[in-house]
Structure formats: C-alpha cells, structure tokens
Amino acid sequence: MTETVRALGSTGRGALRLAAYALWTVALIPVQAVAVALERPLRHRLPVFYHRACARLMGLDVVVRGQRATEGPVLFVSNHSSYLDITVLGSVIPGSFIAKTEVAGWPFFGLLAKLQRTVFVERKARTEVGKQRDDIGARLDSGDNLILFPEGTSSDGNRTLPFKTALFAVASRRIAGKPLTVQPVSVTPTRLDGIPMGVAFRPFYAWYGDMDLAPHLWQAFKLGGMTVEVEFHPPVTIDGFSSRKAIAEHCHRVVSQGVVRAVTGRHAAPTLVEPEKATA
C-alpha cells in the first residue's frame, strides 16, 4: 500500500466509528452469550442484526446480486480477501463460519467467532480431515447454515486462489434423504466513495500476506464508504457431479467469474437486492 493510500481517510471519522463499533459490540456480547448458552433461536438471528449494523458503522455498502438459497441447511462457498468478509457475509447470511483454529485464539475477534458458533478446523492436519468433516456434518444435520472459505487464506481481492478440496467431502452428505445444498458466493470490493477501487485501492479492503491487522483495521474505519458486491450463484448438489473435486472446481469457476464481473463492472443485467430482503 502506498503512502498516498495510507494518508487517505479522516481520523475523526475513524475515532467515531471505532467508538460506536466497540460500544455496539460490547453491548451485544452478553446477549449473544446467553442465547448460545441457552440454545435460544436468537443465537441464529442476532449475528445477522449485529453484522448489518457493523456494516453501516464501517461505511460498507453491501450490494447483493442473485438469490440466497433458503431451503434446508446450506453450505455457502466463498472467496476470501479480508476479515471484513465476515461482516459482509454475516450481514446477508444467517449462519456460522468455518475458520482455521488459530482464529479461536485471536484477542477479541476469537471471542466474537466463538459467539457466532464458528466451526474451527486445522487445515494443515490431514489426519484430522475425517473428524472435521464429521463436526461440520453434525452442524449441518442440526439445520445450521455454514460458510466456507476454501482458498484456505485471504487473497489480494483481484483474483480467486485455488480451492482446497478436503472439506468439500461434506458435500456428499444427505440431510433428511436429500443431498446437501452448496451455494457458491462471490465477494468483491468495487468502489471507494463511488470511485472504482482498482488494483491500487483494493488493499483498503483486502487483508493478506504480512499486513498487520490493527493498522489495516484503523484505516478501514477512517475511510469513506466502500461498496462490496456479493453475488449468490445458482446452488448445486453433489448429485450433479462425479466427485468432491468436480464440485469444488465448479464452485471455484463460478466464484472466480463472479469476482471478475464485479472487478470489471461487466454485469450483463444486474439485479440489485437490498440486504434486508436477501435475508428474509
């Protein structure tokens, strides 16, 4: 990120947003903790409400294209370029994330992940794949939607990294006799204060490589409005593919194409859906 990029943004705006975010989060932590402990339905609804408010507080304008699958538990498969993806996707999908085990130990954000009932997996341990598949499957069996980032790490936001196929084994699961619904999703930051972000400005959103979290988060709070496009692609099931590798390749292809369309602005016939309607 260049010095010019770092200099953009308002310190006063950043301080106000950060204070509002902190107060909002601290206020809702005990509510969600009680809902999770008592297994109340609120534990599913509150995170969407929370993330919608956080998106507004951070100046994230979430534009939704396509329709979210709503029948039965769904495994949403998305590209990943930033921790901000959690807020963006969390604001339009009632569900929990699948994340690497390291996230559980992160200060503050690890607690938030646990309160959203994140499924933690050890991506590097091949011997744990079976257990992780069973843990994910059990959550799906209980009716929970799950959100998977199969790239295994965050990218620069300009491209989609290859998908790791191990956790796609859960796609072969059948829920109440029906194959699990898998829906590919593309997430792409496209505009900053109405101006196309381009390669130079996309690191305002993307967090990858050796970027430090705190300075990047502070910069995000300081900035003006960022437009982030979420495209829900047609859902699929394993019955339409020969293997988990084949369904993973399909998801990678359509997600990549969605990112390219958003980056280039070449949506043939965009259908814009308000986030509130997308989660109805």
Side-chain angles (χ1 to χ4, degrees):
M1 198 181 300
T2 65
E3 291 301 321
T4 300
V5 170
R6 290 194 183 97
L8 293 177
S10 164
T11 300
R13 175 169 52 208
L16 286 173
R17 283 179 171 176
L18 180 58
Y21 171 82
L23 289 172
W24 174 243
T25 301
V26 169
L28 263 65
I29 282 177
V31 179
Q32 178 68 359
V34 171
V36 170
L38 299 180
E39 298 186 351
R40 298 298 187 187
L42 181 64
R43 71 188 189 278
H44 301 295
R45 300 193 300 269
L46 187 60
V48 177
F49 178 61
Y50 167 76
H51 285 301
R52 282 182 185 170
C54 287
R56 294 190 181 98
L57 288 172
M58 298 186 72
L60 299 175
D61 179 22
V62 182
V63 176
V64 178
R65 301 176 186 272
Q67 296 295 325
R68 175 176 64 82
T70 58
E71 185 176 349
V74 180
L75 178 67
F76 296 94
V77 176
S78 174
N79 62 304
H80 186 36
S81 63
S82 175
Y83 53 86
L84 294 172
D85 294 335
I86 305 298
T87 295
V88 170
L89 290 175
S91 72
V92 295
I93 298 175
S96 300
F97 292 87
I98 299 172
K100 58 186 180 182
T101 53
E102 292 92 324
V103 174
W106 287 4
F108 186 67
F109 292 107
L111 172 61
L112 296 184
K114 292 173 184 176
L115 288 175
Q116 194 159 351
R117 304 171 63 239
T118 295
V119 179
F120 297 105
V121 298
E122 178 53 71
R123 292 183 179 272
K124 295 181 180 179
R126 292 182 179 273
T127 57
E128 295 292 318
V129 170
K131 179 181 182 303
Q132 293 167 359
R133 180 193 60 223
D134 291 342
D135 291 343
I136 294 170
R139 288 289 297 277
L140 292 166
D141 287 343
S142 70
D144 291 348
N145 294 326
L146 294 179
I147 304 166
L148 171 67
F149 297 125
E151 289 167 291
T153 187
S154 54
S155 71
D156 61 10
N158 296 299
R159 59 199 176 100
T160 305
L161 301 176
F163 283 0
K164 300 181 184 303
T165 63
L167 294 181
F168 275 90
V170 75
S172 62
R173 203 171 194 88
R174 305 189 84 82
I175 312 292
K178 298 180 180 180
L180 174 67
T181 298
V182 178
Q183 184 165 35
V185 186
S186 301
V187 180
T188 316
T190 56
R191 291 181 175 273
L192 177 60
D193 282 337
I195 301 172
M197 296 184 79
V199 175
F201 290 156
R202 199 154 283 115
F204 276 138
Y205 181 93
W207 180 67
Y208 60 98
D210 59 356
M211 288 182 175
D212 291 329
L213 177 59
H216 189 275
L217 181 59
W218 172 236
Q219 183 68 73
F221 276 114
K222 288 167 55 180
L223 290 173
M226 280 194 286
T227 300
V228 185
E229 296 188 17
V230 175
E231 183 174 1
F232 288 101
H233 304 285
V236 295
T237 71
I238 193 65
D239 286 358
F241 300 88
S242 60
S243 65
R244 75 181 187 194
K245 182 178 180 181
I247 195 172
E249 289 175 347
H250 167 81
C251 290
H252 181 266
R253 181 170 60 257
V254 297
V255 168
S256 299
Q257 291 170 349
V259 170
V260 170
R261 283 194 296 271
V263 166
T264 59
R266 295 176 180 172
H267 291 283
T271 301
L272 304 186
V273 181
E274 294 295 329
E276 288 79 5
K277 294 180 181 178
T279 57

